[in-house]
Amino acid sequence: TVIADEGDARDFAETISDGSPFRGQWTSISSVIDQSMKYLESSPYRGARRVIDISGDGENNNGDPIMGARDRAIAAGVTINGLPIINGRTGPNGMAPPEDLDGYYRDCVIGGAPGGRPRIFRLRPRHPAQAVSGTVGMAARPPAGAGSAAAEG
């Protein structure tokens, strides 16, 4: 999907906000990073920056270890931003929510190549629709260095 202007960004945001959030028992952030890298590498488009935006309400607890996938992406020049969704809910498998998901995303998920300015956003939704709206906001924001300030928490 090419997002060339504000109208394209709004259309894209509307498209992803129409979907319902997936809620599974396991979280494989490493698989998301690896699959995103395949999409970036196979894309016919080459942007000035390559960025993966990840949102979720849990730690990597399935698939390969997170650090290997993250480090491979960063070594390839990709910036990874994070949106930890702090909802306080017990997972469908009975697991308690992580106590410091912000810290986990900061230490294990986000990262970037020199000059990449990875960012972490924080979302505390009251209901599932707010999680979608937060993800849309993350996707529709201006890129770093385009007059936007990093929203770190």
Side-chain angles (χ1 to χ4, degrees), residues 111-126:
R117 282 186 61 203
R119 301 189 279 185
I120 187 167
F121 300 80
R122 183 177 314 158
L123 179 64
R124 294 183 188 276
R126 291 191 186 99

Side-chain angles (χ1 to χ4, degrees), residues 47-59:
R49 297 178 336 124
R50 297 191 309 162
V51 178
I52 299 171
D53 287 336
I54 297 179
S55 63
D57 65 355
E59 299 172 349

Side-chain angles (χ1 to χ4, degrees), residues 5-27:
D5 57 30
E6 188 174 332
D8 291 345
R10 288 178 204 265
D11 291 345
F12 178 74
E14 185 176 314
T15 298
I16 63 174
S17 69
D18 287 342
S20 39
F22 173 77
R23 186 155 167 81
Q25 293 188 11
W26 302 104
T27 301

